[in-house]
Amino acid sequence: MIVGVLGGGTMGSGIAQVAAQNGHKVVLVDLNEAVLELSKSKLAKIMARLVEKGKISSEQADETKSNIQRSTDIQSFKDCGIVIEAIVENLGVKTKVFSQLEDITPEGCILASNTSSLSIASIGASLKDSSKIIGIHFFNPAPLMPLVEIIPSVQTSEETLGSAKNLIDSWSKVTVVCKDTPGFIVNRVARPFYGEALRIYEEGIADFATIDWAMTEIGGFRMGPFTLMDYIGNDVNYVVTATVFESFYYDPRYKPSFTQMRFSEAGYYGRKSGKGFFDYGENATNVAPTEDLALGKKIFDRILMMLVNEAVDAVFLNIGSKEAIDLAMTKGVNYPKGLLSWADEIGLDVILKQLEDMFAEYGEDRYRPSPLMRRMVESGEKFFA
Ligand code: NAI
């Protein structure tokens, strides 16, 4: 099957590489010729490095490179069995492009979007036959991150879902099916990793370095929340949070942080601007964390309790299966354990008590426990017995 990828930027290039490595002929289209040239030279470098490391043979590298045909003409998709769109995150632009895609591609061609924040239903509405729309959400960098969220919308047919899932499974990715709701699984469940960390800082409980230390050294996370926000970019991370917040009709659980907004307004984006929560300049000296175990444990417990609550609520609302939700967080954002298995280990009753204490103390809806957590504590049930 010929795979079409629309948009040759960060995500599109990565998705095209994955498809080509899995033996597909790929048509990669971008409006901008220079983007396509850059995508080509980057792929050549990646392939050379993989050959050098002995991960692939030079024949495999050549095959992957020759599998990708690049074009600025959207008509090049005319023989594709699927087109995965990864262009600018703008609904107006996407809907226009999707209705064009429907006219160009063959009858049974699946039309997929890699969108992070738009609803699949809203993109599908631009099609005459919206049963072929689906969300196929890769993580950055697409060739390295195993997780792919598969998002059928209300219009998607069973056939489209089955074919899309089989295809991505055949690329040795871990797929999870999730509901067409804001943030899908990963970007919804992960919100408190940033939000609660920012809140802990705002209350003056600890500085950025100490919160990061607690999450990496005590929690076993690969990166602390502030290092991660600096990596993603405070401008980008803030907008994602604000979008999720609005999409959830202003549920206080997802409320963005003034701290992050001010950092973003000041241009303190993180690594890409040389300064964010930490300084990345040549002679930068960053404050060392306060390595106080009791404080660290308190910070870790508070953030983990919020993450678990979010994961439990996602099960409660059928956003994905419990297996999907645990896989999503370990394979999409490298969490050291699935949040639901972690909750089983700690005891849901312990986490419920922490949430109830916070809810009583703060009187804020953000700390309300998921009804499923209460139910399971009452019945003594575990997620994975
Ligand atoms: P990017 O800015 O690197 O690339 C977008 C590309 O689309 C650009 O090269 C641009 O020239 C091209 N483009 C724009 N309009 C076009 C059109 N009408 N026809 C053809 N090409 C067009 O963006 P990135 O980061 O690759 O994101 C693309 C999509 O993937 C967005 O929907 C984003 O939400 C989603 N996404 C991004 C992730 C990330 O970490 N960057 C992760 C997962 C999803």
Side-chain angles (χ1 to χ4, degrees):
M1 183 208 284
I2 303 177
V3 174
V5 178
L6 182 64
T10 313
M11 295 308 293
S13 292
I15 297 166
Q17 181 190 327
V18 175
Q21 280 178 311
N22 282 282
H24 290 277
K25 293 282 175 210
V26 178
V27 179
L28 178 61
V29 173
D30 198 291
L31 289 174
N32 189 335
E33 183 80 51
V35 167
L36 292 173
E37 276 307 311
L38 187 65
S39 167
K40 187 174 178 183
S41 61
K42 274 192 180 162
L43 180 69
K45 275 192 206 142
I46 294 169
M47 289 296 121
R49 214 182 313 132
L50 290 176
V51 171
E52 209 179 282
K53 284 191 188 163
K55 298 248 163 100
I56 56 170
S57 65
S58 56
E59 288 75 30
Q60 284 171 313
D62 288 345
E63 196 194 328
T64 298
K65 285 188 283 186
S66 68
N67 273 348
I68 306 181
Q69 175 209 328
R70 295 175 182 78
S71 167
T72 50
D73 182 5
I74 197 168
Q75 298 289 339
S76 316
F77 288 137
K78 66 180 177 23
D79 297 320
C80 289
I82 184 169
V83 176
I84 305 174
E85 165 277 318
I87 62 168
V88 50
E89 192 74 333
N90 176 306
L91 183 61
V93 178
K94 289 206 203 264
T95 48
K96 216 168 121 203
V97 157
F98 269 82
S99 75
Q100 258 181 303
L101 284 176
E102 187 175 32
D103 291 340
I104 294 162
T105 52
E107 180 87 19
C109 180
I110 295 176
L111 298 177
S113 177
N114 183 52
T115 181
S116 291
S117 63
L118 300 168
S119 84
I120 307 304
S122 65
I123 299 171
S126 61
L127 300 178
K128 289 179 218 112
D129 173 11
S130 56
S131 71
K132 54 186 166 187
I133 190 74
I134 192 155
I136 301 187
H137 186 225
F138 286 81
F139 289 76
N140 189 15
L144 298 182
M145 296 307 286
L147 186 77
V148 179
E149 291 176 325
I150 307 279
I151 309 114
S153 69
V154 285
Q155 307 105 310
T156 308
S157 68
E158 282 299 323
E159 194 189 343
T160 300
L161 171 60
S163 310
K165 188 175 177 314
N166 285 344
L167 177 70
I168 308 298
D169 282 337
S170 77
W171 296 356
S172 303
K173 291 290 182 190
V174 174
T175 55
V176 292
V177 176
C178 56
K179 249 194 199 169
D180 186 15
T181 49
F184 310 131
I185 296 177
V186 170
N187 284 330
R188 171 197 194 119
V189 175
R191 291 314 340 132
F193 190 67
Y194 318 108
E196 205 55 24
L198 282 155
R199 184 62 191 263
I200 289 168
Y201 162 76
E202 284 170 357
E203 288 181 28
I205 295 170
D207 57 20
F208 307 135
T210 304
I211 299 170
D212 274 13
W213 168 81
M215 295 312 283
T216 53
E217 295 306 309
I218 298 174
F221 284 82
R222 229 178 253 188
M223 241 188 239
F226 293 99
T227 305
L228 184 53
M229 285 185 273
D230 273 357
Y231 185 76
I232 296 168
N234 280 308
D235 49 341
V236 173
N237 192 251
Y238 177 79
V239 169
V240 173
T241 310
T243 308
V244 170
F245 180 53
E246 284 162 26
S247 314
F248 276 111
Y249 307 109
Y250 305 98
D251 184 330
R253 278 222 314 262
Y254 306 106
K255 198 156 85 180
S257 143
F258 283 120
T259 299
Q260 192 174 35
M261 182 164 80
R262 294 290 179 263
F263 270 64
S264 176
E265 285 168 348
Y268 295 169
Y269 300 142
R271 279 183 184 274
K272 64 184 173 192
S273 67
K275 184 177 166 39
F277 295 118
F278 301 107
D279 203 333
Y280 300 92
E282 252 180 45
N283 302 313
T285 46
N286 285 297
V287 182
T290 307
E291 297 187 8
D292 173 334
L293 273 178
L295 173 65
K297 178 85 173 57
K298 206 170 108 183
I299 294 167
F300 164 64
D301 282 354
R302 179 161 161 184
I303 296 174
L304 186 69
M305 141 196 113
M306 293 295 275
L307 287 169
V308 167
N309 195 35
E310 213 44 66
V312 174
D313 212 50
V315 180
F316 177 58
L317 295 171
N318 293 305
I319 305 306
S321 67
K322 57 188 182 181
E323 290 81 9
I325 287 164
D326 266 13
L327 268 179
M329 305 318 283
T330 51
K331 303 292 183 190
V333 273
N334 289 321
Y335 280 16
K337 291 178 199 172
L339 291 165
L340 303 169
S341 319
W342 218 340
D344 278 348
E345 230 174 77
I346 297 169
L348 267 181
D349 53 336
V350 175
I351 296 172
L352 177 64
K353 171 85 173 56
Q354 288 167 346
L355 279 162
E356 282 175 338
D357 289 350
M358 289 291 285
F359 187 74
E361 183 183 350
Y362 284 76
E364 278 183 61
D365 211 28
R366 95 194 244 115
Y367 298 111
R368 70 178 190 272
S370 169
L372 180 62
M373 198 179 300
R374 283 189 207 286
R375 242 181 246 168
M376 288 181 66
V377 168
E378 271 166 34
S379 67
E381 203 187 328
K382 284 186 172 229
F383 284 103
F384 306 98

